[in-house]
Amino acid sequence: VVQIDKSGKVLKYFESITQASKETNITRCTISNCLNGKQKTAGRHPITKERLSWMFYDEYLKLEGCS
């Protein structure tokens, strides 16, 4: 999964929702809801406090024209 800031910049790539949850202290359910379109954001950036978006890696590649 891909963690994205409000400007669309990729902050970090994670191997799984579980890894992302463990490293960011954002619940798996919240990240999953964002990934599946049930909510727009999940969590906040630890320094800037801006809301974070999430995408599945393959969707990110399609958006960037890489696949």
Side-chain angles (χ1 to χ4, degrees):
V1 294
V2 183
Q3 182 186 53
I4 304 167
D5 71 10
K6 68 179 179 181
S7 67
K9 177 183 171 191
V10 172
L11 298 174
K12 191 161 184 179
Y13 299 96
F14 297 94
E15 290 291 322
S16 66
I17 295 171
T18 300
Q19 179 194 12
S21 176
K22 286 179 181 178
E23 290 189 30
T24 63
N25 289 323
I26 301 168
T27 66
R28 287 180 299 145
C29 183
T30 304
I31 295 171
S32 178
N33 284 343
C34 187
L35 288 167
N36 291 301
K38 294 180 181 178
Q39 60 192 64
K40 292 183 179 186
T41 62
R44 293 185 181 265
H45 190 282
I47 297 169
T48 66
K49 304 301 182 199
E50 70 182 32
R51 295 179 185 269
L52 299 171
S53 296
W54 298 81
M55 293 181 84
F56 288 110
Y57 184 71
D58 60 336
E59 292 175 0
Y60 172 75
L61 290 178
K62 286 178 188 173
L63 185 67
E64 294 298 310
C66 297
S67 63

